[in-house]
Amino acid sequence: MRFQILGPVRLWRGSTDVRLGPPKQRALLALLLAHAGQPVPLHEIVDALWHADPPATAANVVHRHVAALRRLLEPELVSGTASDRLVRASGGYALRVTGDELDLLRFRALCEDARDAARRADRARAVESLVEALNLWRGPSASGIPPEVRALPVFTAIDDEHVVAVKEAAGHLPTAGAALTERVLVTLRQAAAHHPFDEALQARLVELLAAAGRQAEALETYRTVRTRLAEEIGLDPGPELRAAHRAALDQTRPPAQDPAPARARAETPDRSPPQSSAPDRRTPASAPSPPAVPSPAAAATTGTPATAATAATAATGPAAPPAAGPVADAAPEPTHPAQLPRDLGAFAGRQAELERLDALVPGAGEPAQAVVISGMAGVGKTTLAVHWANRLAPGFPDGQVYVDLRGFHLSGAAMSGAEALRALLDAFGVPVGRIPAELGAQAAAYRRLLAGRRVLVVLDNALDSEQVRPLLPAPDGCLAVVTSRHQLQGLMAVEGAHALALRQPDEDEARALLGRRLGEDRVAHEEEAAAEIIGLCERLPLALAIVSARAALNPGYPLAAIAGELRAGHGSLDAFSGEPPLADVRCVFSWSYRALTPEAARLFRLLALHPGPDCSVAAAAGLAAVRPRQVRAQLTELVRAHLLFENEPGRYSLHGLLRAYAAELVEELDSGQDADAAHTRLLDHYLHSAHAAEAALAPHRERISLHRPAAHTLPERFPDQRAAADWFDRERAVLLAAVEQDVRRGDGGYGWRLAAVLELYLDRNGRWQQQRTVQTAAITAAQRGGDLTGQAHGHRALGFALSRLGQWDGADEHLHRALRLSEELRDTCGQARVHRYWAFVANRHGRHTDALDHYRQALELYRSAGHLNAEGSVHNEVGWTYLLLGAYDKALEECGRSLAVHRETGDPNGEAAAWDSLGVAHLRLGRLDRALDGFRHALALYRRIRDSYLEADTLAHIADTHLAAGRTENARAALGQALEILAGIGHPDAEGVRVRLRELG
């Protein structure tokens, strides 16, 4: 018999997972296990299960639960016979368990072994024992029991033992050897996520990351912790955390290289996209040697080989990262982004500030220092910056880029430096697959990219100097404009930035602003009322804009009446000078809010529940439980009242202050039940839509099961793969924010499920850093909820993402955990996918025999589960591995089996993948006509199912075949079609095809 309390409460009799009964019975078992054989008095049991309000029959209910537990523990026990397991003791009950039966006792024994080893100075043995102990944990202790019982000190104390063990393991690690680093880091990250305000734990994480050579991640971790401490509990980091930060700053780190080899897709499951090859690794067009083997698709539903751009290394193993860096070795075609927001038509005044800013623009050949526009919320920093930037735009012909850094977003989710750099590199057309993983390497690539160009960079809503510093371009030719509520003195002291502290406009400028928005005649007609409004708003532009919208919507409403409402609402607005400015414009917001129809007012309140950054019509309809036609009218009303912004057709967002106001209203005016129901509809909309999109991308791939969506939820439906991919592109930022929101504030159930359905999309599009972030959060969510299925999904996806990034030790650790959990859950398909991911890793390292062994295990598991289509995909992957070994006849045999299976199951995607792989095999054997026949079959199928990426992939293989036959013009035509498709969907492979076309002349 085995008991688990380090995670969900579970009981096994032999290999049988015993059902533990109703919640209170499960909670009673947890309480007895937490005391590990010590008696628990009856009154303590009653207090634990019912707190301060037990029923008169509480003792009898406890006795009944005890009797039921005895039947579970000892089914052979004769009625009326004393139990040897659950015994009466000291006026209560005790559950007799041994160290081999209860994970808590085993954990404590291993921790004591570790301390004994530490006393003998055997640090390596101490860490090994602690790692073994920590591996027993499946989440917070007793997760899954009622939360009011779970909050008892006895369970909190067990959780504290876990944190102590993690700290001890991290403390011993520097002298224990590097081999154990990754195993400890995995657990340390998870513990830090569960205990975000434990500064000692966060300090250990910062120290260990820095010691492992991950200085950028260490500094990013410190910045995140510091921000959370300041915003949520109003404290600065303590001495221990500051010391860890200083140590990380002092660490030296070798220049970062792209951890993912140039041929990232050598036979990847689920048809993930290849990265472009470096030019010096690519076979020249003039060398008609046998074409190198592209990579296969091992996906559950796909599985074709990669483009010819990846061919050279696919045959010989992954190439080393190019020394010049991932962006420098194959620079994209020059891109001239024009991302500046539209200039505000009602802009007025600010002539003195504009003249001062104009004076800061350098002359030809002079270096340009960053310009920081700072000031309080709502004073018009962004409006001024955008107006000035639009005036300057013609002087920066190489591009104008804009990034909202979300420094003061209500959710606290400020944009990280790495995320901002990825956005900037993406704006200049750098393929996602060629953006480095490390912050330092990203910053270097960004500076190289802008060197010698004239680019205007607008960095809006910055949190602090550390967030901005990596985003500053070199001063020669480029200009950065930064806005922030903080003064950013660090940028002035270190970078020599110029500063402009923005104040409220003067009386004349404020009057001009009102006149521009309301019309000069109306303002002149009620001069005194206009002056009173300006005074009551203290000349704050945001407040004036909202008042103007209120007045514009009601042209017959006297300005004197608006001034009277301000006066009656005690609207001096002196709170504008405070931080954070949650109450700055509350009174002014209320005028616009009260003018709304009841339906629009309710929608405005509910939009505070949306994770951001923007909301679609369908999501808003689900949130409000109305039809899309009805919600469009409500959204239009909110936009006209300047309470909502339409960023692009059909996409809506709330300003941070408006979101704060809406959040106050929903708490005040809507019942908790109504708000929870709306939030559930919203999350169900995104979860079920993403699930449907994933199904469209890979119809036969194994996927998670979902509950039925809540009533009035409106999930999206997708006619084909292109529509599904487009939806993911539009909603990616929202889905990632929804995961973060649920992990931080919900129960985590939606968080890990959203991460699971995002995995395929993020992997195919090369967004492996985001994959790492979202799957790490998913594991934290699943652990908190005691959901082993969610933990298994998260560890499996995170392990594969880390293998994409070349972090092999971390990948292996997470895949091991995923396999253990899948075995525990008896999830044969989950186990099979872990083996497929391990096979991918083995092939990347040239261990093709090991890969075949993993594929053999995957096949056996799929057969036992009756998943025939997945078997067909594995046959294609096995065939690809034989291609890497040069065993072409075996490759043809396995890929032929794959084709037959997919025809039988009716999977056109898998069938196309098999045809493509067969074409590659024939290409390697010099059978060019048969190769073209296979590729044409694949092409027809991909076009039929509208899988644009794999259509382009097959076109590249057709080009390979034409080149081998000496038909250069045919090859050029096929590559041209492939490039048009890849560039149209923004795929990183486009650059590799573009380079090949240039090589062909």
Side-chain angles (χ1 to χ4, degrees):
M1 187 169 291
R2 291 185 297 120
F3 300 89
Q4 175 180 291
I5 192 175
L6 305 182
V9 182
R10 302 179 74 185
L11 164 64
W12 291 269
R13 191 186 306 111
S15 60
T16 302
D17 193 349
V18 179
R19 296 176 64 88
L20 298 179
K24 277 191 165 45
Q25 185 170 301
R26 182 185 294 265
L28 173 58
L29 177 60
L31 191 65
L32 295 169
L33 291 173
H35 285 82
Q38 299 301 311
V40 186
L42 181 60
H43 69 86
E44 288 189 16
I45 295 174
V46 171
D47 288 345
L49 298 184
W50 285 278
H51 298 283
D53 190 26
T57 59
N60 290 334
V61 174
V62 171
H63 295 322
R64 287 199 298 271
H65 286 319
V66 167
L69 286 174
R70 282 172 171 163
R71 288 192 294 272
L72 292 178
L73 297 170
E74 300 172 279
E76 72 286 352
L77 189 67
V78 178
S79 178
T81 307
S83 172
D84 292 327
R85 276 281 186 183
L86 211 172
V87 299
R88 290 296 299 263
S90 302
Y93 293 95
L95 180 59
R96 292 173 176 169
V97 289
T98 68
D100 292 332
E101 294 174 326
L102 178 59
D103 57 356
L104 175 60
L105 293 178
R106 175 64 178 155
F107 168 77
R108 288 170 174 168
L110 286 167
C111 289
E112 192 54 43
D113 290 345
R115 289 163 192 140
D116 288 342
R119 285 191 285 270
R120 299 192 307 271
D122 188 351
R123 303 285 185 177
R125 177 59 190 160
V127 174
E128 288 172 358
S129 294
L130 286 167
V131 168
E132 185 179 353
L134 293 167
N135 281 341
L136 295 171
W137 286 74
R138 297 290 188 269
S141 64
S143 51
I145 67 173
E148 61 274 11
V149 182
R150 170 70 184 92
L152 290 172
V154 65
F155 299 114
T156 304
I158 295 174
D159 289 340
D160 289 344
E161 292 182 55
H162 176 262
V163 174
V164 169
V166 172
K167 292 176 183 176
E168 288 180 359
H172 294 320
L173 199 59
T175 55
L180 295 166
T181 297
E182 194 60 43
R183 297 180 68 186
V184 175
L185 261 178
V186 168
T187 302
L188 181 55
R189 281 195 184 95
Q190 293 169 3
H194 284 295
H195 303 277
F197 300 113
D198 187 327
E199 292 194 48
L201 191 63
Q202 304 294 338
R204 297 292 83 74
L205 179 56
V206 171
E207 290 169 351
L208 195 53
L209 287 169
R214 302 179 189 179
Q215 187 192 39
E217 188 178 352
L219 296 175
E220 182 74 11
T221 298
Y222 171 80
R223 192 185 69 78
T224 300
V225 174
R226 184 193 61 190
T227 301
R228 186 184 298 120
L229 288 170
E231 293 188 352
E232 298 192 25
I233 59 178
L235 294 177
D236 292 327
E240 189 172 11
L241 190 53
R242 291 200 305 271
H245 179 229
R246 287 194 298 271
L249 288 172
D250 292 340
Q251 289 281 346
T252 57
R253 182 167 52 88
Q257 293 182 337
D258 187 354
R263 309 300 191 275
R265 196 185 51 160
E267 42 56 60
T268 164
D270 293 317
R271 196 54 174 132
S272 56
Q275 295 188 66
S276 301
S277 173
D280 59 331
R281 297 281 185 176
R282 194 173 285 108
T283 304
S286 59
S289 56
V293 186
S295 61
T301 62
T302 57
T304 70
T307 64
T310 66
T313 49
T316 59
V327 177
D329 62 353
E333 292 290 332
T335 301
H336 307 284
Q339 295 183 336
L340 294 180
R342 181 177 59 86
D343 196 5
L344 188 64
F347 183 88
R350 299 297 192 190
Q351 291 306 309
E353 289 86 353
L354 288 168
E355 290 174 6
R356 183 175 171 191
L357 290 169
D358 287 340
L360 299 176
V361 179
E366 297 178 357
Q369 302 302 327
V371 175
V372 178
I373 302 175
S374 63
M376 63 182 296
V379 79
K381 302 179 295 295
T382 299
T383 301
L384 176 61
V386 168
H387 178 78
W388 187 50
N390 275 281
R391 284 180 28 168
L392 295 179
F396 294 87
D398 294 323
Q400 310 94 41
V401 291
Y402 172 89
V403 180
D404 179 4
L405 298 176
R406 304 195 306 264
F408 296 88
H409 194 274
L410 181 65
S411 68
M415 184 179 287
S416 68
E419 184 182 0
L421 281 166
R422 287 195 295 270
L424 288 165
L425 290 168
D426 181 70
F428 284 94
V430 177
V432 172
R434 303 190 65 78
I435 296 177
E438 287 290 326
L439 179 64
Q442 290 175 354
Y446 168 66
R447 288 191 293 271
R448 286 197 302 270
L449 188 65
L450 267 60
R453 300 189 186 187
R454 287 191 59 79
V455 175
L456 180 61
V457 180
V458 179
L459 304 171
D460 194 20
N461 199 13
L463 177 64
D464 54 29
S465 298
E466 288 184 29
Q467 185 188 28
V468 172
R469 191 169 289 119
L471 314 179
L472 296 179
D476 296 329
C478 298
L479 176 65
V481 182
V482 185
T483 74
S484 178
R485 296 184 196 176
H486 290 165
Q487 293 180 341
L488 305 190
Q489 293 178 347
L491 286 187
M492 301 171 210
V494 178
E495 305 293 341
H498 300 294
L500 174 65
L502 197 60
R503 306 287 184 183
Q504 294 98 319
D506 61 27
E507 295 285 345
D508 291 339
E509 289 178 321
R511 189 192 179 286
L513 189 154
L514 277 182
R516 186 67 65 88
R517 289 178 175 272
L518 299 178
E520 287 293 339
D521 290 344
R522 187 176 181 187
V523 172
H525 182 69
E526 295 191 71
E527 189 72 44
E528 290 185 7
E532 186 176 7
I533 289 172
I534 291 169
L536 290 170
C537 288
E538 294 192 6
R539 310 189 312 279
L540 191 74
L542 177 59
L544 289 167
I546 296 172
V547 173
S548 299
R550 166 84 164 101
L553 285 173
N554 298 276
Y557 203 71
L559 296 185
I562 294 177
E565 287 185 8
L566 274 172
R567 216 181 308 112
H570 307 287
S572 68
L573 305 180
D574 53 6
F576 281 140
S577 60
E579 286 191 9
L582 293 178
D584 291 358
V585 288
R586 185 180 292 116
C587 178
V588 178
F589 286 158
S590 71
W591 316 322
S592 295
Y593 173 76
R594 289 200 300 268
L596 298 172
T597 61
E599 295 79 13
R602 175 174 174 268
L603 176 61
F604 173 71
R605 298 194 305 270
L606 294 179
L607 283 169
L609 305 175
H610 192 278
D614 56 11
C615 180
S616 67
V617 173
L623 184 66
V626 298
R627 296 179 182 278
R629 180 174 56 82
Q630 294 171 293
V631 88
R632 282 192 184 94
Q634 297 168 20
L635 291 166
T636 299
E637 182 179 351
L638 292 173
V639 170
R640 287 174 177 169
H642 289 269
L643 289 172
L644 195 65
F645 306 99
E646 189 172 13
N647 307 319
E648 58 182 87
R651 308 291 300 184
Y652 302 87
S653 66
L654 276 173
H655 185 279
L657 294 178
L658 289 165
R659 182 184 293 273
Y661 179 63
E664 292 179 356
L665 289 176
V666 78
E667 184 174 353
E668 176 185 350
L669 301 176
D670 296 272
S671 70
Q673 183 178 1
D674 288 346
D676 289 344
H679 196 227
T680 296
R681 289 193 299 272
L682 181 70
L683 291 175
D684 271 346
H685 165 79
Y686 285 119
L687 178 58
H688 285 267
S689 297
H691 193 264
E694 183 198 29
L697 289 178
H700 292 267
R701 187 180 195 262
E702 61 269 24
R703 58 182 50 83
I704 63 172
S705 300
L706 301 181
H707 55 72
R708 289 179 61 85
H712 306 293
T713 302
L714 298 171
E716 303 275 5
R717 292 294 177 260
F718 306 98
D720 51 45
Q721 292 187 334
R722 183 70 261 146
D726 287 344
W727 183 85
F728 268 127
D729 288 340
R730 290 193 303 272
E731 301 291 353
R732 174 174 52 87
V734 178
L735 295 171
L736 295 174
V739 172
E740 181 183 1
Q741 182 191 69
D742 191 56
V743 170
R744 293 183 63 182
R745 300 175 184 176
D747 63 10
Y750 282 100
W752 80 255
R753 288 176 174 84
L754 281 167
V757 295
L758 271 166
E759 181 196 357
L760 177 64
Y761 165 77
L762 292 175
D763 185 71
R764 282 190 176 185
N765 286 273
R767 298 185 179 278
W768 302 314
Q769 295 95 342
Q770 288 182 339
Q771 185 88 278
R772 177 176 61 186
T773 299
V774 77
Q775 299 302 339
T776 299
I779 293 169
T780 299
Q783 286 179 334
R784 189 172 68 238
D787 194 316
L788 300 187
T789 301
Q791 293 179 48
H793 273 280
H795 281 297
R796 186 172 66 233
L798 180 56
F800 190 54
L802 293 176
S803 73
R804 294 291 212 173
L805 295 168
Q807 298 177 13
W808 307 114
D809 291 340
D812 193 58
E813 177 66 18
H814 283 286
L815 290 176
H816 270 295
R817 294 189 181 206
L819 185 61
R820 285 199 303 269
L821 287 164
S822 297
E823 289 172 346
E824 190 174 328
L825 293 164
R826 299 184 180 180
D827 177 6
T828 52
C829 289
Q831 296 171 52
R833 186 158 288 277
V834 173
H835 282 294
R836 291 170 71 183
Y837 286 172
W838 256 326
F840 165 80
V841 173
N843 272 333
R844 283 279 296 272
H845 284 88
R847 302 195 312 269
H848 305 310
T849 302
D850 290 344
L852 289 172
D853 183 61
H854 283 297
Y855 284 135
R856 176 189 58 76
Q857 295 181 70
L859 275 172
E860 291 173 356
L861 289 161
Y862 280 136
R863 286 188 187 118
S864 69
H867 198 327
L868 181 60
N869 198 74
E871 289 182 52
S873 295
V874 175
H875 281 304
N876 194 49
E877 297 163 26
V878 171
W880 183 252
T881 306
Y882 280 129
L883 280 173
L884 296 176
L885 287 166
Y888 304 125
D889 290 338
K890 288 186 176 180
L892 287 169
E893 179 182 350
E894 290 292 336
C895 295
R897 287 181 182 174
S898 175
L899 179 63
V901 168
H902 289 307
R903 281 176 164 172
E904 179 182 346
T905 60
D907 178 8
N909 208 322
E911 186 181 343
W915 273 117
D916 195 69
S917 296
L918 287 166
V920 172
H922 288 305
L923 179 61
R924 284 293 285 168
L925 289 167
R927 303 167 183 170
L928 303 186
D929 289 341
R930 296 191 67 179
L932 279 176
D933 182 63
F935 293 142
R936 285 166 179 159
H937 275 94
L939 189 66
L941 286 164
Y942 284 137
R943 284 174 172 168
R944 192 184 93 198
I945 62 178
R946 299 188 66 184
D947 191 326
S948 300
Y949 166 66
L950 293 179
E951 177 187 346
D953 195 36
T954 299
L955 283 165
H957 302 156
I958 291 173
D960 292 341
T961 311
H962 286 311
L963 283 175
R967 297 188 290 265
T968 304
E969 286 304 315
N970 296 52
R972 186 181 290 109
L975 286 175
Q977 293 179 57
L979 178 59
E980 183 179 357
I981 293 170
L982 293 171
I985 63 177
H987 201 282
D989 281 0
E991 180 58 26
V993 176
R994 189 177 287 113
V995 170
R996 291 195 68 202
L997 278 168
R998 284 201 296 265
E999 290 173 350
L1000 290 176

